Amino acid sequence: MSTWTRRNFLAGASAALAASTLTRVNAAPPATTRPARNSIDESAYQWHDVRDWGIEGKGFSDTEGDYDRLPKRAKGIVRSAVWALSKDSTGLSVGFKAATPAIAIRYTLLSESIAMPHMCATGVSGADLYGQDASNNLRWIGDARPTSQHVSQSLAQEMDIVDREYRLYFPLYNGVKKLEIGLPHDIDLTPIAPRTTGAIVYYGTSIAQGGCVSRPGVAFTSSLSRRLDRPFINLAFSGNGKMEETVGRFLVELDPAAWVIDCVPNMTTEMVRQNTIPLVHQLRAVRPNTPILLVEDRINDTFWTSKHLLAEGVERRRALSDAYDTLLSTGQKNIHYLKGDNLIGTDGEGTVDGSHPNDLGTRRYTEQLEPAIKQMLA
């Protein structure tokens, strides 16, 4: 079994200040006598390369890889850890229409290590298919469940042949070399061009990158994109969302409907004090009227057992609040603030490790962020 240490991930409260390194591991084969999901007959499908009609959620076109999140120009400017994480395809998706009884997928992952100890392969390296229901809402249909670096699987079989829209979400903590959608040979695929206006740019940490949901469509930037019917550009970098000027250089190249800045879990109190106001000024110098939402740190589920760790968390939150008050007092407009008290809930059931939301915690994040973003955009 091969392993590959790639990710700085928040683990526990004190590690939220200097994220710990976790190891992504190869998933064991499924314990079943049924045929493996990747045993499809590829010749039964006509394959469509999603690059032919464009990827939604890409903020930059001049990328080194087709599924990268920062431009090639960022290499050597942002820290090496940020650059490596920008190769992960979190937040990217593709839309298409078809009247088909079956959909398959094949793609190759950048890393052969496809899971982590506290995040399953379907979230780290899987792809996630949603389709339009009778009420025109996007609902989950099926997902790819990788067992190796090359994925070739069925996403849906024996569906009613109804002309509907589909959206496919890409892996959260792995990168993609090439991705194709397969339909039966007599079925037409109609591409849906990526939306490029009205986007929300989300700059954050491992939590916003999708740790540790079960599949990509559950990540809160994906959920919010469906709920708000607008694209999201996910610029979250696990363990490395630190409100850095070097990242800000590329944020200002974008022209979004709003920015969300959610980096406090990766920062010390002093970093929050030093970096928040300069980053806002950096954005404002180019986009003086674009709304900005500052998001507090969540209350880590382990804080209740340690007064010391709780105090550290409170100090980071206070530093962000102080920066927000200073921005308002100096005449900054259209700056908004979301408190972190209820981001993961208060019952201790919203995380996998005290820090990273599970699917329940991620839904709670979504339900807190949705009204805050709507109000900001009103």
Side-chain angles (χ1 to χ4, degrees), residues 216-269:
V218 177
F220 60 71
T221 55
S222 300
S223 296
L224 287 165
S225 180
R226 294 193 299 273
R227 290 186 179 212
L228 299 175
D229 192 24
R230 62 173 65 236
F232 272 64
I233 298 173
N234 188 316
L235 293 178
F237 306 107
S238 177
N240 289 277
K242 299 185 179 184
M243 300 193 199
E244 292 172 290
E245 182 273 338
T246 52
V247 175
R249 296 184 203 181
F250 300 98
L251 294 178
V252 300
E253 293 186 13
L254 304 171
D255 187 15
W259 282 294
V260 181
I261 309 299
D262 182 8
C263 295
V264 178
N266 283 168
M267 302 172 72
T268 64
T269 300

Side-chain angles (χ1 to χ4, degrees), residues 10 17 25 30 49 99 101 141 173 178 225 232 240 262 267 279 296-297 322 336 368 373:
L10 298 175
L17 307 182
V25 298
D49 191 327
I141 291 178
Y173 271 84
K178 184 177 181 180
S225 180
F232 272 64
N240 289 277
D262 182 8
M267 302 172 72
L279 178 62
E296 274 189 355
D297 193 1
D322 289 345
H336 305 263
Q368 293 290 309
I373 293 173

Side-chain angles (χ1 to χ4, degrees), residues 339-352:
K339 293 186 68 63
D341 303 68
N342 297 310
L343 285 173
I344 55 174
T346 58
D347 57 5
E349 303 298 338
T351 72
V352 299

Side-chain angles (χ1 to χ4, degrees), residues 132-154:
Q132 194 176 46
D133 65 14
S135 299
N136 294 324
N137 296 314
L138 286 173
R139 292 184 59 179
W140 181 79
I141 291 178
D143 56 359
R145 305 169 191 176
T147 59
S148 66
Q149 195 170 359
H150 180 70
V151 182
S152 178
Q153 296 180 359
S154 168

Side-chain angles (χ1 to χ4, degrees), residues 2 4 38 46 50-51 87-89 108 117 125-126 132 142 150 155 211-212 248 278 325 333 362 370:
S2 65
W4 183 33
N38 61 355
Q46 180 178 353
V50 300
R51 295 173 297 184
K87 298 288 186 178
D88 292 342
S89 57
T108 302
S125 303
Q132 194 176 46
H150 180 70
L155 294 175
C212 290
D325 290 341
K333 306 293 184 183
T362 298
E370 181 180 10

Side-chain angles (χ1 to χ4, degrees), residues 121-183:
T122 51
V124 171
S125 303
D128 212 5
L129 180 68
Y130 281 63
Q132 194 176 46
D133 65 14
S135 299
N136 294 324
N137 296 314
L138 286 173
R139 292 184 59 179
W140 181 79
I141 291 178
D143 56 359
R145 305 169 191 176
T147 59
S148 66
Q149 195 170 359
H150 180 70
V151 182
S152 178
Q153 296 180 359
S154 168
L155 294 175
Q157 293 284 350
E158 299 180 347
M159 293 191 294
D160 296 333
I161 303 179
V162 177
D163 191 25
R164 60 165 60 96
E165 293 186 5
Y166 295 92
R167 182 151 298 276
L168 182 79
Y169 297 96
F170 293 8
L172 299 174
Y173 271 84
N174 208 330
V176 176
K177 295 180 182 178
K178 184 177 181 180
L179 189 147
E180 297 169 292
I181 293 168
L183 302 183

Side-chain angles (χ1 to χ4, degrees), residues 34 57 69 77 85 92-93 105 108 112 138 144 148 197 237 349 360:
R34 298 174 61 188
R69 294 180 292 139
I77 296 176
L85 288 157
L92 304 186
S93 69
I105 189 172
T108 302
E112 65 179 4
L138 286 173
S148 66
T197 59
F237 306 107
E349 303 298 338
L360 173 61

